[in-house]
């Protein structure tokens, strides 16, 4: 069975690669959040075949180049690996992002590549495709982006905050992770990067949870009320039994004796139901008054 994160990636991969600036921005997000991006090697590993099919088109559009290693070389291993090691290709990509090939190219985010709103959206889509994950909303709400580049993560966090998402940050096993736990932020983020159907799945799951929780609360409340009614009825029955054992039942006024006998006959009924069986029927308040009188009389007995 496909995971929810798999479905999100598949939906994102249906977004067309069109404008050159957006293709470069998406590729930038992919590289900053992929397995390896240095001046000596680019390595992208995925298990999603639709993302694997998108990568060659994306890099061809963004940089007019091909990967040195394609995933067909790794059949049967469950992972799809893309790699670039040729120095001229690496230099071309690194120069495109304004870095010096002689230095570490992932120290920071070049926001000059992300001036337009469409490019920011493409960048975040690439980051999620490469280093993102999202939990099945039926279980809990959690979306995160993880990278080994701490400074880049901080700047992506600042970008998300500027866009109104307010992520949290944590270090985990050497990776910088920014994450959301609010369902509304996850929905908005997925909608922004091109996965509105997945965002709607989260909304639907949330509504279903609220309905189930409401039903459970109502059922628990009903059970509590039933237990309370049964406890009260048992307490009344015990008091009346005490009156009968002491021979006091036969000396009661007619209305109290009728009430006592009805309770003994119908120990499981609520006061409302018992009041309807009186002859003539009385109100719940009237019957409650009679019950309190009976219980008070029982307490006075030795």
């Amino acid at each position: 069975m496909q995971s929810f994160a798999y479905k999100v990636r598949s939906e994102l991969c249906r977004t067309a690669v069109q404008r050159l600036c957006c293709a470069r921005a998406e590729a930038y997000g992919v590289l900053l959040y992929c397995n390896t991006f240095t001046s000596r090697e680019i390595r992208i590993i995925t298990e999603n075949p639709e993302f694997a099919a998108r990568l060659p088109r994306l890099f061809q559009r963004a940089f007019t180049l091909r990967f040195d290693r394609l995933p067909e070389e790794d059949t049967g291993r469950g992972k799809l690996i893309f790699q670039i090691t040729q120095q001229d290709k690496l230099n071309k990509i690194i120069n495109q992002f304004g870095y010096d090939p002689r230095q570490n190219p992932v120290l920071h985010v070049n926001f000059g590549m992300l001036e337009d709103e469409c490019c920011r959206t493409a960048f975040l889509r690439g980051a999620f495709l490469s280093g993102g994950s999202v939990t099945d909303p039926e279980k809990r709400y959690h979306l995160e982006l993880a990278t080994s580049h701490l400074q880049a993560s901080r700047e992506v966090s600042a970008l998300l905050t500027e866009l109104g998402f307010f992520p949290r940050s944590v270090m985990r096993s050497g990776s910088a992770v920014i994450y959301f736990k609010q369902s509304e932020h996850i929905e908005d983020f997925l909608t922004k990067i091109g996965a509105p159907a997945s965002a709607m799945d989260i909304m639907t799951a949330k509504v279903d949870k609220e309905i189930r929780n409401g039903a459970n609360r109502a059922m628990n409340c009903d059970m509590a009320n039933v237990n309370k009614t049964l406890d009260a009825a048992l307490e009344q029955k015990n008091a009346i039994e005490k009156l009968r054992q002491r021979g006091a039942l036969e000396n009661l006024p007619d209305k109290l004796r009728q009430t006592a006998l009805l309770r003994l006959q119908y120990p499981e009924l609520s006061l409302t139901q018992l009041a309807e069986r009186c002859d003539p029927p009385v109100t719940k308040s009237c019957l409650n008054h009679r019950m309190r009188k009976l219980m008070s009389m029982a307490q006075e007995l030795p």
Side-chain angles (χ1 to χ4, degrees):
M1 183 178 178
Q2 294 177 347
S3 68
F4 183 68
Y6 184 101
K7 294 177 181 178
V8 172
R9 278 190 173 82
S10 298
E11 183 180 1
L12 292 175
C13 287
R14 291 194 287 272
T15 303
V17 180
Q18 296 177 334
R19 298 181 64 183
L20 178 60
C21 63
C22 292
R24 287 175 176 168
E26 183 176 327
Y28 194 17
V30 168
L31 289 168
L32 286 180
Y33 279 83
C34 72
N35 302 83
T36 304
F37 177 31
T38 69
S39 58
R40 295 182 302 277
E41 179 189 17
I42 289 172
R43 180 188 292 260
I44 305 169
I45 302 176
T46 181
E47 295 182 359
N48 188 298
E50 294 179 57
F51 180 38
R54 183 180 183 84
L55 276 171
R57 300 196 307 271
L58 180 65
F59 274 60
Q60 180 64 35
R61 176 63 173 146
F63 312 117
T64 320
L65 56 76
R66 296 182 179 180
F67 287 96
D68 298 334
R69 178 183 181 182
L70 294 173
E72 285 76 11
E73 300 175 21
D74 304 286
T75 55
R77 294 178 58 185
K79 295 183 182 297
L80 306 172
I81 302 176
F82 295 81
Q83 188 178 33
I84 297 175
T85 54
Q86 291 183 26
Q87 198 59 54
D88 59 332
K89 293 181 180 179
L90 291 169
N91 290 347
K92 183 176 182 179
I93 293 172
I94 292 170
N95 284 327
Q96 185 66 61
F97 297 132
Y99 299 122
D100 185 340
R102 296 168 297 180
Q103 299 177 348
N104 188 338
V106 291
L107 292 178
H108 65 89
V109 175
N110 181 356
F111 285 99
M113 301 288 298
L114 310 176
E115 291 182 354
D116 294 336
E117 187 70 18
C118 60
C119 294
R120 292 184 173 194
T121 297
F123 173 81
L124 294 172
R125 179 168 58 247
F128 182 86
L129 284 170
S130 187
S133 65
V134 60
T135 304
D136 186 342
E138 290 289 344
K139 299 176 181 177
R140 61 191 179 102
Y141 306 119
H142 185 89
L143 182 148
E144 67 180 38
L145 301 171
T147 178
S148 59
H149 310 296
L150 177 58
Q151 185 58 35
S153 181
R154 288 171 176 166
E155 292 171 347
V156 172
S157 180
L159 172 62
L160 287 167
T161 300
E162 182 181 334
L163 295 173
F165 290 108
F166 307 105
R168 300 177 183 178
S169 301
V170 68
M171 291 297 297
R172 184 195 305 144
S173 302
S175 293
V177 180
I178 52 181
Y179 64 95
F180 307 114
K181 286 189 175 294
Q182 303 94 331
S183 61
E184 295 82 2
H185 286 175
I186 297 173
E187 293 161 11
D188 292 343
F189 179 80
L190 291 180
T191 299
K192 181 172 183 60
I193 65 176
S198 298
M200 185 60 69
D201 287 342
I202 295 177
M203 296 179 197
T204 301
K206 183 165 59 176
V207 170
D208 290 344
K209 279 183 183 179
E210 290 173 353
I211 292 174
R212 287 196 299 270
N213 290 339
N216 288 337
R217 284 194 296 269
M219 183 176 66
N220 291 338
C221 182
D222 289 343
M223 287 301 298
N225 288 336
V226 168
N227 290 335
K228 185 178 179 181
T229 298
L230 291 176
D231 290 343
L234 179 60
E235 187 177 1
Q236 294 160 6
K237 178 176 177 293
N238 290 338
I240 295 168
E241 286 285 4
K242 183 178 180 181
L243 290 172
R244 182 166 64 178
Q245 291 170 5
R246 300 294 195 277
L249 199 60
E250 298 302 322
N251 299 324
L252 292 176
D254 290 344
K255 292 180 180 179
L256 287 180
R257 186 168 62 254
Q258 180 192 45
T259 299
L261 293 175
L262 281 172
R263 173 50 80 202
L264 293 176
Q265 185 178 358
Y266 303 104
E268 77 287 353
L269 294 186
S270 67
L271 285 181
T272 300
Q273 294 169 322
L274 208 61
E276 294 172 353
R277 291 182 176 271
C278 289
D279 185 19
V282 297
T283 64
K284 176 184 176 181
S285 176
C286 176
L287 194 68
N288 187 41
H289 176 75
R290 293 181 186 177
M291 285 295 182
R292 288 203 302 270
K293 179 65 175 177
L294 289 168
M295 293 178 70
S296 176
M297 293 173 65
Q299 290 176 355
E300 295 175 357
L301 291 176

